[in-house]
Amino acid sequence: MRIPIILDTDPGIDDAAAIAAALFAPELDLALMTTVAGNVSLEKTTRNALQLLHFWEADVPLAQGASAPLVRPLRDAADVHGESGMEGYDFVAHDRQPLAKPAFIAIRDLLMSAPQPVTLVAIGPLTNIALLLTQYPECKFNIRRLVLMGGSAGRGNFTPNAEFNIAIDPEAAAIVFRSGLEIVMCGLDVTNDAMLDAEYLATLPTLNRTGQMLHALFSHYRSGSMTSGLRMHDLCAIAWLVRPDLFTLKPCFVAVETQGTWTSGTTVVDIEGKLGQPANAQVALRLDVAGFRRWVAEVLALAP
Ligand SMILES: [Ca+2]
């Protein structure tokens, strides 16, 4: 049976690759997509998400989420993803619209009516998930687990210590990590290794329409390069769902720093149990990179 998932995203170029995998991995059933402000503004992430769903003619509802972090102003990542968030491909016009309700209510409604527990996958800042958990804690019973791309047990990529998705909305991340949900954290410890190499990237234009589109986007993506390889941060969260055997996880206590002058948004990952706190997340610490690359090639070959 396919795994039902809700994907919360801020496309974003590596998000586009993750959405492709969420749609075309035969093991997954993408029931709802929700957008959040992150890589670029909410208006742009929603437009980009709708363009992708239209590109793939996907019959998946989309709800627009939070336009800003819970308490901080938005700082975006247009330097990595381009001004539009998905620079480089000329998407056709369409008339798709988001649902008439905000993301956290759309997620609640789906969870409360789903016949079986649903997996949440978050590949942007955790604002929508925090709103869901604080406004509608009653729906936790039907969340199978939360798989997220975010954080780091080591260094950051937005500040010296903090990873982008967590750093943009640390207060939301702190709520999520304290929620008691089963959490799988795919942070920079694995996503920095999740590189597609130049040789594979060069084959994308001849693979299929999806390969052509992703190749065009990737040529404008600034997490790596087309010649040295590209980091597919968000794709790791989808990969874990389908191929958990590629990852080494360790149960750890994870706290999100919200107060530090220089460390706000840092995930403090207590790998050695020094803080004496119970584990609240399964933290991915190693990735089988060759296996990951083979899986990406397999799943993208299934796309149109
Ligand atoms: Ca993202």
Side-chain angles (χ1 to χ4, degrees):
M1 201 183 61
R2 296 193 299 161
I3 302 167
I5 66 171
I6 296 171
L7 181 61
D8 188 61
T9 174
D10 62 337
I13 291 176
D14 58 328
D15 297 77
I19 293 166
L23 284 170
F24 299 108
E27 297 87 349
L28 303 178
D29 174 14
L30 179 55
L32 172 68
M33 230 162 79
T34 54
T35 56
V36 65
N39 285 323
V40 286
S41 70
L42 179 70
E43 184 193 352
K44 291 175 182 174
T45 61
T46 302
R47 183 197 58 203
N48 293 342
L50 288 170
Q51 278 176 330
L52 290 167
L53 290 175
H54 185 72
F55 176 86
W56 285 306
E57 297 172 18
D59 186 22
V60 176
L62 180 128
Q64 178 164 261
S67 61
L70 292 182
V71 298
R72 299 173 190 236
L74 178 67
R75 294 167 296 168
D76 68 21
D79 56 327
V80 179
H81 298 264
E83 259 323 297
S84 73
M86 280 188 353
E87 219 67 62
Y89 188 81
D90 212 3
F91 288 95
V92 298
H94 64 84
D95 54 9
R96 289 187 182 225
Q97 294 292 328
L99 298 174
K101 52 189 169 186
F104 74 103
I105 295 180
I107 298 172
R108 188 272 311 252
D109 290 353
L110 193 149
L111 287 170
M112 295 308 280
S113 62
Q116 55 174 318
V118 178
T119 296
L120 301 184
V121 185
I123 57 175
L126 291 164
T127 320
N128 291 333
I129 309 300
L131 285 169
L132 173 78
L133 295 172
T134 50
Q135 300 298 309
Y136 301 117
E138 69 274 17
C139 67
K140 278 197 218 169
F141 82 97
N142 221 13
I143 300 174
R144 173 68 188 86
R145 58 165 68 90
L146 168 67
V147 184
L148 65 92
M149 188 279 132
S152 167
R155 297 180 59 78
N157 64 353
F158 189 67
T159 70
N161 290 59
E163 179 278 333
F164 178 81
N165 285 344
I166 306 296
I168 292 307
D169 198 344
E171 287 75 17
I175 289 169
V176 168
F177 276 94
R178 283 198 303 257
S179 68
L181 284 185
E182 181 181 328
I183 294 174
V184 174
M185 170 179 143
C186 297
L188 298 177
D189 315 288
V190 289
T191 70
N192 273 338
D193 289 340
M195 302 267 284
L196 299 183
D197 59 26
E199 198 180 339
Y200 173 68
L201 292 169
T203 68
L204 282 175
T206 56
L207 181 65
N208 49 32
R209 267 178 79 233
T210 297
Q212 288 163 16
M213 183 268 284
L214 290 177
H215 186 272
L217 296 184
F218 288 168
S219 304
H220 293 258
Y221 180 50
R222 294 290 166 263
S223 188
S225 78
M226 294 299 272
T227 48
S228 63
L230 292 181
R231 288 182 198 93
M232 292 291 113
H233 301 283
D234 289 344
L235 202 40
C236 288
I238 305 293
W240 182 83
L241 278 169
V242 179
R243 292 290 307 277
D245 58 299
L246 298 175
F247 295 78
T248 305
L249 302 186
K250 186 167 188 309
C252 298
F253 171 68
V254 179
V256 179
E257 178 57 70
T258 58
Q259 301 294 323
T261 305
W262 302 103
T263 55
S264 170
T266 300
T267 43
V268 178
V269 179
D270 191 10
I271 294 175
E272 288 146 356
K274 291 186 191 301
L275 299 175
Q277 301 289 321
N280 57 352
Q282 296 277 340
V283 180
L285 292 175
R286 274 200 305 282
L287 173 69
D288 171 351
V289 177
F292 173 80
R293 288 175 176 166
R294 280 195 298 275
W295 172 77
V296 173
E298 279 167 27
V299 74
L300 291 183
L302 296 174

